[in-house]
Amino acid sequence: MKRRTARNARWLALGIYAIVLAGALGWRATGTVEPYCAYSFGYITTVDGQVMGPDGKPTTVEELAAKAYQHAYESGACEKPHSRWHDWVD
């Protein structure tokens, strides 16, 4: 009886591992990525250690880059973001 219980435990552990692995792969595959696109957002002005946007309000470098990407996308210079799995099947 011990051998059967040990075998069932191994199959249970293997099943749990397979479910976790499939979930992690699915999570990774559905993540959004931006296609490679060259764009620039000019210079960065800092006042007292804070990054200032072109409108003179405090912002972050990430927000400036996101706005620059959005502008490049709207002007047709960049492709739209897509799920990571699209790159795997192309």
Side-chain angles (χ1 to χ4, degrees):
M1 195 56 124
K2 268 186 156 184
R3 187 166 188 221
R4 185 175 205 175
T5 306
R7 192 179 312 158
N8 288 341
R10 272 189 235 134
W11 280 108
L12 178 65
L14 185 61
I16 291 171
Y17 177 73
I19 290 170
V20 168
L21 183 63
L25 181 63
W27 176 78
R28 177 86 174 145
T30 58
T32 303
V33 294
E34 295 175 354
Y36 177 75
C37 176
Y39 57 89
S40 97
F41 52 93
Y43 61 91
I44 299 172
T45 305
T46 59
V47 176
D48 295 329
Q50 289 220 343
V51 176
M52 305 303 269
D55 56 1
K57 296 181 181 177
T59 187
T60 63
V61 174
E62 290 80 15
E63 289 175 358
L64 290 173
K67 287 178 184 177
Y69 174 81
Q70 186 65 29
H71 179 66
Y73 169 69
E74 289 170 354
S75 68
C78 296
E79 296 178 19
K80 68 178 186 171
H82 58 271
S83 295
R84 184 173 280 114
W85 67 267
H86 286 270
D87 292 337
W88 298 348
V89 294
D90 285 342

